[in-house]
């Protein structure tokens, strides 16, 4: 049974940095593209970042490009999201997700079918 668990969320001030981790069990992430999504209060879940199976390709939402970095350590079966220069508008629940297929995965919600429980990130002004 595949499971993703996000850790590392918390309350920080604007301009601070935070790193989220996504530990996988019941699956080997080397076979899958992985992504991060977030959902702010009262808004729909939105794409944040994705990474290819070996980390050669990454994609980012325009709102986080240049500030966030997605990475992976397949040996540790873990995906990371490094968040720098955090802004209050980054406040959301952040979800780790596994792609639906082993080949290229896009940035749409429907491209992923295994999700973590989410980690709250709150950025104060």
């Amino acid at each position: 049974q595949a499971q993703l668990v996000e850790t590392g969320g918390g309350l920080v001030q604007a301009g601070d940095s935070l790193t989220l981790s996504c530990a996988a069990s019941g699956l080997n992430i080397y076979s899958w593209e992985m992504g991060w999504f977030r959902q702010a209060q009262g808004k729909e879940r939105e794409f944040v970042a994705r990474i290819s199976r070996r980390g050669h390709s990454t994609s980012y939402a325009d709102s986080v490009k240049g500030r966030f970095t997605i990475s992976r350590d397949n040996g540790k079966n873990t995906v990371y999201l490094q968040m720098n220069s955090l802004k209050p508008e980054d406040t959301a629940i952040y979800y780790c997700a596994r792609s639906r297929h082993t080949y290229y995965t896009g940035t749409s919600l429907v491209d992923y079918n295994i999700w973590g429980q989410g980690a709250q990130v709150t950025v104060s002004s």
Side-chain angles (χ1 to χ4, degrees):
Q1 43 284 341
Q3 185 176 14
L4 303 174
V5 179
E6 303 96 333
T7 57
L11 173 63
V12 298
Q13 293 183 324
D16 284 354
S17 297
L18 200 62
T19 299
L20 301 179
S21 297
C22 172
S25 61
L27 77 154
N28 294 315
I29 66 167
Y30 62 72
S31 297
W32 309 92
E33 296 204 349
M34 303 293 293
W36 287 95
F37 294 76
R38 68 186 182 186
Q39 186 166 17
Q41 186 67 41
K43 296 185 178 181
E44 295 184 348
R45 193 170 302 181
E46 66 178 6
F47 166 77
V48 175
R50 64 158 282 276
I51 188 167
S52 61
R53 290 180 294 278
R54 296 180 181 179
H56 296 160
S57 175
T58 57
S59 301
Y60 297 93
D62 288 340
S63 58
V64 306
K65 192 172 298 182
R67 299 188 298 118
F68 289 12
T69 302
I70 186 172
S71 62
R72 65 193 299 159
D73 187 333
N74 290 341
K76 296 181 179 179
N77 220 27
T78 302
V79 182
Y80 306 94
L81 184 67
Q82 175 67 49
M83 302 180 291
N84 298 326
S85 302
L86 283 163
K87 305 174 181 179
E89 50 263 45
D90 294 319
T91 295
I93 300 175
Y94 283 72
Y95 297 91
C96 177
R98 191 210 76 180
S99 63
R100 187 178 297 273
H101 305 290
T102 58
Y103 48 86
Y104 173 80
T105 298
T107 60
S108 297
L109 203 68
V110 296
D111 292 329
Y112 301 82
N113 65 349
I114 297 179
W115 297 82
Q117 83 289 347
Q120 178 69 49
V121 173
T122 302
V123 185
S124 63
S125 301

